[in-house]
Amino acid sequence: LFRELSSIHRRDCVLLSIRIMSSLKKAGESVARQALKVPRAVTAAEAPFIEPAKESTKETMMPWRGWVSRMLRSNLGEERYQAMRKLVFYRPDDIHDMNQIPNPSTKVPISATDPTLYRQFRNPSPGSEAGTIRIPKADEGSTTEDPYNVSHYSRDTTRRYLDEGNPNKDLQQLKLDLMNPDSPEVQEMKEKMEPQSSPGNKGVFATGPSDFDPSGLRAAMSTNHAAYEESLDANMPDHLPYPVWYDKQDEIVAWYKERDLPVPMGATGFGTVPVHRRVARW
């Protein structure tokens, strides 16, 4: 067979293989498939004769998981088992089982009185929610308002002055003011204060002029230091956030004084995030 195929043109081989695969597919479709009564793994030879399941199994595929807990519960009793569990484990009743990535099937209750109110991953999905859907988006007028603007260097204020080639101009100027202005080295350092780099192509590309980005920071050919510094100045943090306990600090201090306890710095609140902050607004 291989000798015969070797003498056939390559195109004929491709056509022949397509016909063979087509005939096998039709043969597989004509075979009556049967659904499995009990879900199990199937072999490649069994697959053409088995009807695919419409939904996943509700039974665990790892029945051995948790056998130690079941053995201890049956031998110690429920009360002693729970006491030992709280002594050994850290937060044993955590709804997510201390997983950093929660299980999508976990139902998170959002009401202390109504057990039917809960939230689950994409259940219902955002598109199936009744009423107006609030899709998360950036603030208007911000640099991230345009979803296609993915540049980070133009607003990376954290590492602004870490680059030795682009130091803090105000700090460098203060250093130069304390030095001898007649020194040739100082004069050379003053000349290097302004970065010597390309001014950008002013929006004129090889394909012609473009005005999709007046700042010039969206393309490597048009970016320039003046626009870069201006963008960083606009994104520099200028807010002073308050702690969550700021509005009730007198109440917290009074609570410790009533119990003759030392007043700590701030207020502890680990694991007490309000429910409304854990529920996505959209």
Side-chain angles (χ1 to χ4, degrees):
L1 176 61
F2 288 102
R3 290 179 181 177
E4 295 178 0
L5 290 176
S6 61
S7 62
I8 300 176
H9 195 270
R10 180 177 299 177
R11 184 184 61 180
D12 297 335
C13 293
V14 174
L15 293 176
L16 179 60
S17 61
I18 293 176
R19 291 175 182 174
I20 294 174
M21 296 299 295
S22 175
S23 60
L24 291 175
K25 181 179 180 181
K26 292 181 179 179
E29 293 176 350
S30 61
V31 175
R33 298 185 177 185
Q34 296 181 354
L36 293 175
K37 296 182 179 179
V38 180
R40 61 175 178 82
V42 298
T43 62
E46 295 176 317
F49 307 99
I50 297 177
E51 182 71 20
K54 296 182 179 180
E55 62 179 9
S56 179
T57 177
K58 299 297 190 297
E59 298 180 2
T60 177
M61 303 297 289
M62 298 182 292
W64 60 87
R65 188 174 182 179
W67 68 271
V68 176
S69 299
R70 292 193 297 268
M71 180 189 67
L72 293 175
R73 181 183 282 106
S74 60
N75 293 333
L76 300 177
E78 186 65 24
E79 185 177 354
R80 292 182 178 179
Y81 170 76
Q82 292 298 337
M84 184 201 70
R85 188 165 169 263
K86 293 181 179 180
L87 179 64
V88 175
F89 293 109
Y90 173 70
R91 300 184 66 180
D93 298 324
D94 182 71
I95 192 171
H96 297 297
D97 199 20
M98 301 301 295
N99 292 325
Q100 294 183 350
I101 301 178
N103 193 327
S105 61
T106 301
K107 297 180 179 180
V108 181
I110 58 176
S111 175
T113 57
D114 190 355
T116 60
L117 297 178
Y118 64 89
R119 275 292 182 266
Q120 192 176 352
F121 178 74
R122 295 188 64 83
N123 182 29
S125 61
S128 302
E129 291 278 6
T132 304
I133 306 302
R134 180 191 176 278
I135 301 178
K137 60 181 180 180
D139 297 332
E140 296 182 1
S142 64
T143 55
T144 56
E145 181 181 8
D146 186 355
Y148 298 100
N149 185 6
V150 296
S151 62
H152 180 61
Y153 81 100
S154 60
R155 56 180 186 273
D156 186 11
T157 58
T158 303
R159 292 175 289 185
R160 181 175 188 178
Y161 301 124
L162 298 180
D163 184 8
E164 296 182 357
N166 188 27
N168 189 337
K169 291 184 178 180
D170 297 334
L171 182 60
Q172 294 299 319
Q173 186 63 44
L174 289 174
K175 293 180 179 179
L176 293 175
D177 292 341
L178 298 175
M179 299 181 183
N180 183 11
D182 299 330
S183 173
E185 296 180 355
V186 174
Q187 294 179 2
E188 183 181 357
M189 293 174 63
K190 288 183 177 180
E191 294 177 357
K192 293 182 179 181
M193 285 285 293
E194 295 296 331
Q196 302 297 323
S197 61
S198 172
N201 60 8
K202 309 297 182 181
V204 181
F205 295 86
T207 55
S210 176
D211 59 351
F212 77 100
D213 178 33
S215 67
L217 298 175
R218 296 280 293 274
M221 296 294 294
S222 61
T223 187
N224 55 86
H225 260 95
Y228 172 63
E229 294 291 339
E230 183 181 354
S231 176
L232 290 180
D233 290 338
N235 287 276
M236 286 295 287
D238 57 356
H239 64 286
L240 183 62
Y242 288 91
V244 294
W245 47 263
Y246 183 82
D247 295 332
K248 55 179 182 179
Q249 50 186 316
D250 295 336
E251 178 184 346
I252 296 174
V253 172
W255 187 89
Y256 282 96
K257 287 186 176 180
E258 290 176 359
R259 291 161 176 79
D260 196 19
L261 296 174
V263 181
M265 295 289 293
T268 58
F270 177 75
T272 58
V273 180
V275 174
H276 67 276
R277 295 299 300 272
R278 298 197 301 266
V279 178
R281 289 180 294 174
W282 54 281

